[in-house]
Amino acid sequence: MHFIYDFTLFITELFLKIIACFSPKIKLFVSGRKTVFDTLSEKIKATDQTIWFHAASLGEYEQGLPVMEKIKKQFPLHKIILTFFSPSGYEVRKNNTIAEVTVYLPLDTKTNAKRFITLVHPEMVFFIKYEFWINYLTVLKNNNTPTYLISGIFRENQLFFKWYGGFYRKALDAFSYFFVQNEKSKTLVQKLGKNNVIVSGDTRFDRVVTILEKDNTLDYIAQFKNNTTTIVIGSSWPKDEELLISYINTTKEQVKFIIAPHNIKADQIRQLQNNISKKTVLFSNMENKKLEDYDVFIIDTIGILTKIYSYADIAYVGGGFGNPGVHNILEPATFGIPIIIGSNYSHFTEATELVNLKGCVSISNQNELRNTFDNLITNKDIQKEKGAICSDFVFANKGATKNIMDQISKKSEIKIS
């Protein structure tokens, strides 16, 4: 089975090099890995003490950040090594301030795994949420390196729980501890005969709570808002925008819209702007504009959506009409505002719970979108009630980072504050 796994990776690597000629994203995926070992050799000395965190993409980075910050504070002399699998994570956070070294994770071949771990020589390793790379885990286990899964999620359809999944189950032996998000995940891990597991919760709640402690002021957003009811549309996709544009163009309510699309390619932004009949301004073209005179503000940049949510009276979070589903709803929730999403959210625990609690509303068509927006705009009591549900939900679920750090301290006899 190991041979098949390694052979599949070999074929995948060749296939990706071909696709890279036609896909900008895959080109980044391939080219970004060419200099990884040179970077590690240059920036990590044999005498350095290191701790390695791996995140699949941007969402997992945000999820792991509270633990990274605690580890960084406790071990200021250690170098934090951060790896990403996806370009969508690496390209956005390659210049982060938490890690001394940030690189792509080389593909999981035996050679890459041995070379990477030899160069990094981590004292502790943290995998965030998922991504179970067999060869990396095997080397870590052979080296007796303390390895932890944080904010883990397990589902019955994963290979670990198939009759033919023994090869993958064995790789889980590398983990010193599993910190999972819910009881179902804990039960599944225990079915594999592993009791080194606790329900710690989701560290994303700790992450979003800290947002409230930061300065979220954006003067140009305040100028645009101009004390008017404002709907912030975050991470929208074309399927979301089809419904949203119709509402924006036809609503008679006194309301402003801020749209931060998931994809900010120039041609798609141009098409979005052309489809909106109301007075619209782009972030990239806002200089010397009297922003309060505009109805729609399109944010054709990245990195400021979280701050923008602080100005929202209502939030719409995109992705709920496609795969894998709705984007992060916890950021708007922490500001205590009602949230609207599409119908594809069942794989996201926090979205499911907030829909059940009625702080978040799921819509599936144009009429439902229109009725929900109109109801929240005109009924301030309902708006505040749903917003309070969202805020209370976030604060009720914080604390996962402390649970993780306490357990690591107990098991490793390292005193962690």
Side-chain angles (χ1 to χ4, degrees):
M1 187 66 179
H2 212 140
F3 170 79
I4 296 174
Y5 178 81
D6 291 337
F7 181 73
T8 301
L9 281 172
F10 173 76
I11 296 299
T12 299
E13 189 170 18
L14 292 176
F15 190 58
L16 288 171
K17 288 179 180 178
I18 297 172
I19 298 177
C21 298
F22 309 98
S23 168
K25 185 173 182 179
I26 298 301
K27 184 177 181 179
L28 287 172
F29 181 97
V30 173
S31 62
R33 286 169 162 79
K34 290 180 179 179
T35 59
V36 168
F37 292 118
D38 289 338
T39 301
L40 295 176
S41 299
E42 176 187 343
K43 294 187 176 182
I44 304 174
K45 300 176 183 177
T47 54
D48 286 337
Q49 295 175 291
T50 69
I51 298 171
W52 171 28
F53 283 84
H54 175 64
S57 192
L58 184 59
E60 290 71 39
Y61 166 82
E62 297 292 342
Q63 204 160 25
L65 193 54
V67 178
M68 284 187 249
E69 291 171 340
K70 284 289 187 181
I71 289 289
K72 183 77 170 180
K73 182 179 179 181
Q74 183 62 26
F75 302 103
L77 299 180
H78 284 62
K79 286 186 174 181
I80 302 296
I81 314 302
L82 173 64
T83 58
F84 286 96
F85 184 76
S86 167
S88 57
Y90 175 80
E91 296 300 328
V92 175
R93 289 291 180 260
K94 60 186 176 183
N95 296 318
N96 68 85
T97 58
I98 193 71
E100 280 72 25
V101 182
T102 302
V103 294
Y104 281 100
L105 182 70
L107 288 180
D108 186 34
T109 65
K110 287 182 180 180
T111 301
N112 284 347
K114 289 178 181 178
R115 188 179 179 189
F116 179 91
I117 292 172
T118 297
L119 288 170
V120 174
H121 52 268
E123 294 184 12
M124 284 191 289
V125 177
F126 296 86
F127 282 72
I128 304 164
K129 192 175 179 179
Y130 51 56
E131 286 213 339
F132 304 95
W133 297 113
I134 307 300
N135 287 313
Y136 282 102
L137 290 173
T138 299
V139 176
L140 291 170
K141 182 177 183 298
N142 291 341
N143 290 355
N144 293 315
T145 305
T147 302
Y148 304 97
L149 179 70
I150 58 177
S151 292
I153 286 284
F154 287 88
R155 296 187 177 92
E156 291 175 346
N157 62 352
Q158 290 172 305
L159 285 171
F160 310 114
F161 309 105
K162 305 295 184 181
W163 64 266
Y164 49 84
F167 173 63
Y168 289 90
R169 288 192 290 272
K170 186 173 178 57
L172 296 181
D173 292 342
F175 287 101
S176 307
Y177 229 83
F178 300 88
F179 299 102
V180 298
Q181 293 187 31
N182 52 46
E183 288 290 343
K184 184 174 182 180
S185 292
K186 179 182 177 181
T187 299
L188 287 170
V189 172
Q190 288 177 326
K191 283 183 178 180
L192 300 178
K194 302 182 185 304
N195 293 313
N196 53 335
V197 54
I198 63 168
V199 178
S200 60
D202 189 344
T203 51
R204 284 183 302 164
F205 289 97
D206 299 326
R207 171 64 177 152
V208 296
V209 165
T210 65
I211 292 172
L212 297 177
E213 302 167 2
K214 299 179 179 180
D215 180 6
N216 294 298
T217 303
L218 294 171
D219 291 339
Y220 50 88
I221 297 296
Q223 182 186 347
F224 168 79
K225 181 179 174 71
N226 195 27
N227 297 316
T228 305
T229 297
T230 300
I231 295 174
V232 173
I233 298 162
S235 303
S236 60
W237 288 77
K239 287 185 179 179
D240 301 296
E241 291 159 5
E242 287 177 14
L243 304 182
L244 292 162
I245 290 170
S246 176
Y247 183 82
I248 291 170
N249 287 342
T250 58
T251 183
K252 303 300 182 184
E253 303 291 345
Q254 290 295 111
V255 60
K256 292 195 171 194
F257 300 88
I258 301 174
I259 308 175
H262 177 75
N263 194 327
I264 56 171
K265 290 182 178 180
D267 57 337
Q268 294 188 20
I269 293 295
R270 187 163 46 251
Q271 182 178 353
L272 174 62
Q273 184 177 20
N274 290 340
N275 287 338
I276 296 172
S277 60
K278 293 188 175 178
K279 198 171 182 183
T280 303
V281 62
L282 301 182
F283 174 88
S284 60
N285 193 32
M286 68 176 178
E287 293 299 323
N288 302 317
K289 296 286 197 308
K290 195 175 180 181
L291 295 177
E292 60 266 34
D293 290 344
Y294 288 84
D295 303 303
V296 182
F297 199 161
I298 298 177
I299 310 300
D300 54 343
T301 188
I302 60 174
I304 58 173
L305 177 57
T306 301
K307 290 179 181 287
I308 291 173
Y309 278 133
S310 71
Y311 291 88
D313 297 289
I314 302 164
Y316 180 98
V317 178
F321 288 102
N323 290 312
V326 69
H327 286 278
N328 185 1
I329 68 169
L330 294 182
E331 288 183 353
T334 197
F335 288 110
I337 50 180
I339 301 166
I340 303 170
I341 60 175
S343 54
N344 185 11
Y345 63 89
S346 61
H347 285 310
F348 301 88
T349 304
E350 70 280 2
T352 300
E353 292 187 23
L354 264 180
V355 169
N356 291 338
L357 290 169
K358 301 188 185 307
C360 179
V361 180
S362 171
I363 57 97
S364 57
N365 57 53
Q366 185 69 64
N367 285 337
E368 290 178 4
L369 176 73
R370 180 174 299 278
N371 291 338
T372 302
F373 271 149
D374 287 348
N375 186 36
L376 289 172
I377 292 167
T378 58
N379 195 322
K380 298 298 182 183
D381 288 338
I382 293 178
Q383 186 185 118
K384 289 179 180 178
E385 179 185 346
K386 290 185 179 298
I389 290 171
C390 290
S391 178
D392 290 347
F393 174 73
V394 170
F395 278 86
N397 283 281
K398 68 177 185 174
T401 302
K402 184 178 186 304
N403 293 336
I404 291 169
M405 302 305 282
D406 286 349
Q407 190 67 27
I408 292 173
S409 176
K410 186 188 304 181
K411 290 296 178 182
S412 63
E413 297 182 355
I414 299 173
K415 301 303 179 185
I416 298 178
S417 59

Short mmCIF file of all heavy atoms in Angstrom, two decimals, residues 321-341:
data_model
loop_
_atom_site.label_atom_id
_atom_site.label_comp_id
_atom_site.label_asym_id
_atom_site.label_seq_id
_atom_site.Cartn_x
_atom_site.Cartn_y
_atom_site.Cartn_z
N PHE A 321 -23.72 28.70 -2.14
CA PHE A 321 -24.40 28.12 -3.30
C PHE A 321 -23.45 27.29 -4.15
O PHE A 321 -23.74 26.97 -5.30
CB PHE A 321 -25.04 29.23 -4.15
CG PHE A 321 -26.24 29.84 -3.51
CD1 PHE A 321 -26.14 31.07 -2.87
CD2 PHE A 321 -27.45 29.18 -3.49
CE1 PHE A 321 -27.24 31.64 -2.26
CE2 PHE A 321 -28.56 29.73 -2.88
CZ PHE A 321 -28.46 30.97 -2.26
N GLY A 322 -22.29 26.95 -3.58
CA GLY A 322 -21.32 26.14 -4.32
C GLY A 322 -20.60 25.20 -3.39
O GLY A 322 -21.00 24.98 -2.25
N ASN A 323 -19.52 24.62 -3.88
CA ASN A 323 -18.70 23.70 -3.09
C ASN A 323 -17.34 24.35 -2.83
O ASN A 323 -16.79 25.00 -3.72
CB ASN A 323 -18.50 22.37 -3.85
CG ASN A 323 -19.78 21.56 -3.90
OD1 ASN A 323 -20.45 21.39 -2.89
ND2 ASN A 323 -20.12 21.07 -5.08
N PRO A 324 -16.77 24.20 -1.62
CA PRO A 324 -17.22 23.31 -0.56
C PRO A 324 -18.32 23.89 0.32
O PRO A 324 -18.86 23.19 1.17
CB PRO A 324 -15.96 23.10 0.27
CG PRO A 324 -15.19 24.35 0.09
CD PRO A 324 -15.45 24.79 -1.31
N GLY A 325 -18.70 25.16 0.11
CA GLY A 325 -19.78 25.70 0.91
C GLY A 325 -19.47 27.09 1.44
O GLY A 325 -18.54 27.75 1.00
N VAL A 326 -20.27 27.52 2.41
CA VAL A 326 -20.21 28.88 2.93
C VAL A 326 -18.84 29.19 3.55
O VAL A 326 -18.17 28.33 4.11
CB VAL A 326 -21.34 29.09 3.97
CG1 VAL A 326 -21.09 28.28 5.24
CG2 VAL A 326 -21.51 30.56 4.30
N HIS A 327 -18.44 30.46 3.43
CA HIS A 327 -17.18 30.91 3.99
C HIS A 327 -17.34 31.22 5.48
O HIS A 327 -18.39 30.97 6.08
CB HIS A 327 -16.68 32.13 3.22
CG HIS A 327 -16.14 31.80 1.86
ND1 HIS A 327 -14.86 31.34 1.66
CD2 HIS A 327 -16.72 31.85 0.63
CE1 HIS A 327 -14.66 31.14 0.36
NE2 HIS A 327 -15.77 31.43 -0.29
N ASN A 328 -16.32 31.82 6.05
CA ASN A 328 -16.24 32.05 7.49
C ASN A 328 -17.33 32.99 7.98
O ASN A 328 -17.37 34.17 7.62
CB ASN A 328 -14.85 32.63 7.81
CG ASN A 328 -14.62 32.80 9.30
OD1 ASN A 328 -15.46 32.49 10.13
ND2 ASN A 328 -13.44 33.29 9.65
N ILE A 329 -18.22 32.49 8.83
CA ILE A 329 -19.28 33.33 9.39
C ILE A 329 -18.92 33.83 10.79
O ILE A 329 -19.64 34.67 11.34
CB ILE A 329 -20.63 32.58 9.44
CG1 ILE A 329 -20.58 31.44 10.46
CG2 ILE A 329 -21.04 32.09 8.07
CD1 ILE A 329 -21.93 30.85 10.76
N LEU A 330 -17.83 33.35 11.37
CA LEU A 330 -17.51 33.73 12.74
C LEU A 330 -17.01 35.17 12.84
O LEU A 330 -17.21 35.83 13.87
CB LEU A 330 -16.47 32.78 13.33
CG LEU A 330 -16.94 31.34 13.54
CD1 LEU A 330 -15.85 30.50 14.18
CD2 LEU A 330 -18.20 31.30 14.41
N GLU A 331 -16.35 35.66 11.80
CA GLU A 331 -15.87 37.05 11.85
C GLU A 331 -17.02 38.05 11.95
O GLU A 331 -16.99 38.91 12.83
CB GLU A 331 -14.98 37.34 10.64
CG GLU A 331 -13.62 36.64 10.75
CD GLU A 331 -12.70 36.96 9.59
OE1 GLU A 331 -13.15 37.63 8.63
OE2 GLU A 331 -11.53 36.56 9.64
N PRO A 332 -18.06 37.97 11.10
CA PRO A 332 -19.18 38.88 11.32
C PRO A 332 -19.94 38.59 12.61
O PRO A 332 -20.43 39.51 13.27
CB PRO A 332 -20.06 38.67 10.09
CG PRO A 332 -19.67 37.34 9.54
CD PRO A 332 -18.22 37.19 9.86
N ALA A 333 -20.00 37.31 12.98
CA ALA A 333 -20.74 36.95 14.20
C ALA A 333 -20.16 37.60 15.44
O ALA A 333 -20.89 38.02 16.34
CB ALA A 333 -20.76 35.43 14.36
N THR A 334 -18.84 37.72 15.49
CA THR A 334 -18.21 38.28 16.69
C THR A 334 -18.57 39.75 16.89
O THR A 334 -18.51 40.26 18.00
CB THR A 334 -16.68 38.09 16.64
OG1 THR A 334 -16.13 38.27 17.94
CG2 THR A 334 -16.04 39.07 15.69
N PHE A 335 -18.96 40.43 15.81
CA PHE A 335 -19.38 41.83 15.92
C PHE A 335 -20.86 41.97 16.29
O PHE A 335 -21.36 43.10 16.39
CB PHE A 335 -19.09 42.57 14.62
CG PHE A 335 -17.64 42.82 14.37
CD1 PHE A 335 -16.97 42.15 13.35
CD2 PHE A 335 -16.92 43.71 15.15
CE1 PHE A 335 -15.62 42.36 13.12
CE2 PHE A 335 -15.57 43.94 14.92
CZ PHE A 335 -14.92 43.26 13.91
N GLY A 336 -21.54 40.85 16.47
CA GLY A 336 -22.93 40.89 16.92
C GLY A 336 -23.89 41.41 15.87
O GLY A 336 -24.75 42.26 16.15
N ILE A 337 -23.76 40.88 14.65
CA ILE A 337 -24.67 41.27 13.59
C ILE A 337 -25.33 40.03 12.99
O ILE A 337 -24.74 38.95 12.97
CB ILE A 337 -23.94 42.04 12.47
CG1 ILE A 337 -22.69 41.29 12.00
CG2 ILE A 337 -23.56 43.43 12.94
CD1 ILE A 337 -21.92 41.98 10.91
N PRO A 338 -26.59 40.15 12.53
CA PRO A 338 -27.26 39.01 11.90
C PRO A 338 -26.58 38.63 10.60
O PRO A 338 -26.02 39.50 9.90
CB PRO A 338 -28.68 39.51 11.67
CG PRO A 338 -28.56 40.99 11.60
CD PRO A 338 -27.44 41.37 12.52
N ILE A 339 -26.64 37.35 10.25
CA ILE A 339 -25.91 36.84 9.08
C ILE A 339 -26.87 36.09 8.17
O ILE A 339 -27.73 35.34 8.63
CB ILE A 339 -24.77 35.91 9.53
CG1 ILE A 339 -23.81 36.66 10.45
CG2 ILE A 339 -24.03 35.32 8.34
CD1 ILE A 339 -22.86 35.76 11.21
N ILE A 340 -26.67 36.27 6.87
CA ILE A 340 -27.45 35.54 5.86
C ILE A 340 -26.46 34.73 5.03
O ILE A 340 -25.40 35.22 4.66
CB ILE A 340 -28.24 36.50 4.96
CG1 ILE A 340 -29.17 37.38 5.81
CG2 ILE A 340 -29.06 35.72 3.93
CD1 ILE A 340 -29.82 38.50 5.04
N ILE A 341 -26.82 33.48 4.75
CA ILE A 341 -25.96 32.60 3.95
C ILE A 341 -26.82 31.80 2.96
O ILE A 341 -28.04 31.77 3.07
CB ILE A 341 -25.16 31.61 4.83
CG1 ILE A 341 -26.11 30.72 5.65
CG2 ILE A 341 -24.20 32.36 5.74
CD1 ILE A 341 -25.40 29.63 6.46
#
